[in-house]
Amino acid sequence: MSASIEIAGVSKIYDGGVRAVDAVAMDIRQGEFFSLLGPSGCGKTTTLRMIAGFETPSAGAIRVDGADITHVPAHKRDMGMVFQNYALFPHRTVAENVAFGLRMRGLDKATIAAKVKAALAMVELSGLEDRRPAQLSGGQQQRVALARAIVIAPRVLLCDEPLGALDKKLRQQMQFELKQLQKKLGLTLVFVTHDQEEALAMSDRIAVMNGGRVEQVGTPTEIYNQPTTRFVADFIGDTNIFRGERTTTGTGASALDVGKGLILALPPTDAQGTGVLSVALRPEKIRLSPRGDAAIAAGSSAHGIVENTNFLGGAVLYRIELASGHRVLVQQPNAGTSRLFVPGNGVTLDWTPADLVALKD
């Protein structure tokens, strides 16, 4: 059976007063694929290592199914671990690598052989039992590391950037396979990554970390569409962030004055309050059309000039300078060469005020 994990006000302070993790609190549900996402040095790997028992918290507690394991040794936590560098024994065969944890638990040879065979079949490595790691591809080595972790039937599987060393196509393949395997086994899986697309694609929920703290916890849809802080909005994918003073339009509607004549109509949910506000607008929420002579809608349209284009295959990313001088990113589906804009083209941009997301500074 998988387990729930409670991280209660956990901090980690190293010698010299370096605070790697600062009062982190989160609940990881039973059977959940939960990702710790953030840039290098944000504390995500240190948090994972404290869950694993490789590091001891300076403050706070870690509980599994309600039991305090803060000071329980790593080998008694019933958790499997997969590392980025695989950490396989180079002089041992695939089968011997997978069997390592079972031997440490004192199981008999027949039981070990049966469990190893089943684990290798689960990761599609049957028939490679006698090979050594150097004879395998990167993807196969990662599967061996995964089989070694799941063969002990852990309640929790911990993964520290396990796909980071793979090329993009193989990485995407392994993302599908790992998520499918996690759901099949019903494991609680805690996954560390700095790759936003990877976290969005694989996770049930994500904790975005920055500077040792948790900025936001939510589903991929919530994290992407409703970021709560400027850091989350800026870190997850491309976005346009505007900061200005709340004001009202001539009709009395709530708006944001971002300077240089650019006024953004605010959605009704953000119509209250005064003072400075930051909002985010995703590039794909903006529509582009050739610039004409028709009047634009105040607060939700603007004219601009295409500065640069970035062809992404299925989409095109444009950088556009507005008449106000502000620069924005706009992403449009690839609808064929006849619909592409080129640098120098005049364009009209339209968006819906409801797509503006208010941010905490």
Side-chain angles (χ1 to χ4, degrees), residues 168-293:
K168 184 174 182 179
K169 188 170 184 179
L170 181 56
R171 186 171 184 159
Q172 290 177 332
Q173 178 185 341
M174 287 297 296
Q175 287 172 6
F176 284 113
E177 292 181 7
L178 180 56
K179 186 168 179 65
Q180 184 179 31
L181 183 61
Q182 181 260 338
K183 293 304 179 187
K184 180 179 179 180
L185 297 176
L187 289 170
T188 302
L189 194 153
V190 186
F191 187 91
V192 163
T193 182
H194 66 273
D195 188 309
Q196 303 96 318
E197 291 183 2
E198 185 167 83
L200 292 172
M202 301 179 71
S203 311
D204 295 317
R205 286 191 304 147
I206 301 167
V208 182
M209 297 187 67
N210 178 37
R213 292 179 172 269
V214 174
E215 294 261 341
Q216 184 176 352
V217 177
T219 66
T221 301
E222 290 168 344
I223 292 291
Y224 186 83
N225 290 331
Q226 296 294 324
T228 57
T229 69
R230 185 185 183 103
F231 175 83
V232 174
D234 197 39
F235 185 73
I236 307 293
D238 293 315
T239 196
N240 300 295
I241 297 179
F242 302 95
R243 183 175 175 83
E245 289 277 350
R246 290 178 184 266
T247 185
T248 54
T249 64
T251 61
S254 182
L256 190 70
D257 185 349
V258 299
K260 300 179 181 178
L262 182 61
I263 306 292
L264 305 179
L266 291 174
T269 53
D270 295 304
Q272 303 300 317
T274 59
V276 177
L277 176 68
S278 294
V279 297
L281 179 62
R282 293 290 184 189
E284 67 272 16
K285 300 294 186 180
I286 303 173
R287 298 173 296 278
L288 275 188
S289 59
R291 181 170 178 172
D293 295 327

Side-chain angles (χ1 to χ4, degrees), residues 15 26 59 82 86 103 124 138 160 167 210 223 234 240 279 294 304 322-323 354:
D15 293 341
M26 64 182 88
V82 182
Y86 317 138
R103 290 201 305 272
E124 300 181 358
D160 188 7
D167 63 65
N210 178 37
I223 292 291
D234 197 39
N240 300 295
V279 297
L322 302 182

Side-chain angles (χ1 to χ4, degrees), residues 33-337:
F33 195 121
F34 190 94
S35 289
L36 301 176
L37 172 67
S40 297
C42 72
K44 57 187 184 295
T45 293
T46 302
T47 301
L48 190 79
R49 289 177 62 83
M50 287 190 288
I51 297 173
F54 300 147
E55 299 280 358
T56 302
S58 304
I62 298 173
R63 303 182 184 96
V64 174
D65 285 343
D68 192 330
I69 65 163
T70 310
H71 300 287
V72 173
H75 68 278
K76 293 185 178 180
R77 294 196 179 194
D78 194 18
M79 297 181 181
M81 186 86 181
V82 182
F83 302 92
Q84 180 177 355
N85 63 357
Y86 317 138
L88 301 176
F89 299 113
H91 59 287
R92 291 181 174 173
T93 66
V94 166
E96 289 169 342
N97 268 281
V98 176
F100 179 78
L102 299 173
R103 290 201 305 272
M104 293 299 100
R105 285 162 172 76
L107 275 65
D108 63 84
K109 289 185 178 181
T111 301
I112 290 175
K115 288 182 176 291
V116 168
K117 182 178 180 180
L120 289 175
M122 202 168 292
V123 297
E124 300 181 358
L125 287 180
S126 297
L128 302 183
E129 291 86 351
D130 296 327
R131 292 194 185 182
R132 300 190 186 279
Q135 297 173 301
L136 303 176
S137 68
Q140 289 172 328
Q141 290 183 51
Q142 190 56 276
R143 286 190 179 93
V144 174
L146 184 57
R148 183 180 60 186
I150 65 175
V151 75
I152 62 173
R155 293 190 299 165
V156 176
L157 180 60
L158 308 175
C159 298
D160 188 7
E161 306 222 32
L163 310 181
L166 305 179
D167 63 65
K168 184 174 182 179
K169 188 170 184 179
L170 181 56
R171 186 171 184 159
Q172 290 177 332
Q173 178 185 341
M174 287 297 296
Q175 287 172 6
F176 284 113
E177 292 181 7
L178 180 56
K179 186 168 179 65
Q180 184 179 31
L181 183 61
Q182 181 260 338
K183 293 304 179 187
K184 180 179 179 180
L185 297 176
L187 289 170
T188 302
L189 194 153
V190 186
F191 187 91
V192 163
T193 182
H194 66 273
D195 188 309
Q196 303 96 318
E197 291 183 2
E198 185 167 83
L200 292 172
M202 301 179 71
S203 311
D204 295 317
R205 286 191 304 147
I206 301 167
V208 182
M209 297 187 67
N210 178 37
R213 292 179 172 269
V214 174
E215 294 261 341
Q216 184 176 352
V217 177
T219 66
T221 301
E222 290 168 344
I223 292 291
Y224 186 83
N225 290 331
Q226 296 294 324
T228 57
T229 69
R230 185 185 183 103
F231 175 83
V232 174
D234 197 39
F235 185 73
I236 307 293
D238 293 315
T239 196
N240 300 295
I241 297 179
F242 302 95
R243 183 175 175 83
E245 289 277 350
R246 290 178 184 266
T247 185
T248 54
T249 64
T251 61
S254 182
L256 190 70
D257 185 349
V258 299
K260 300 179 181 178
L262 182 61
I263 306 292
L264 305 179
L266 291 174
T269 53
D270 295 304
Q272 303 300 317
T274 59
V276 177
L277 176 68
S278 294
V279 297
L281 179 62
R282 293 290 184 189
E284 67 272 16
K285 300 294 186 180
I286 303 173
R287 298 173 296 278
L288 275 188
S289 59
R291 181 170 178 172
D293 295 327
I296 60 175
S300 59
S301 296
H303 291 315
I305 301 292
V306 176
E307 283 192 334
N308 290 295
T309 64
N310 191 356
F311 185 69
L312 305 176
V316 182
L317 186 66
Y318 297 95
R319 189 172 75 166
I320 295 171
E321 182 178 3
L322 302 182
S324 63
H326 295 87
R327 287 177 170 81
V328 297
L329 294 175
V330 180
Q331 182 172 305
Q332 301 286 280
N334 176 14
T337 55

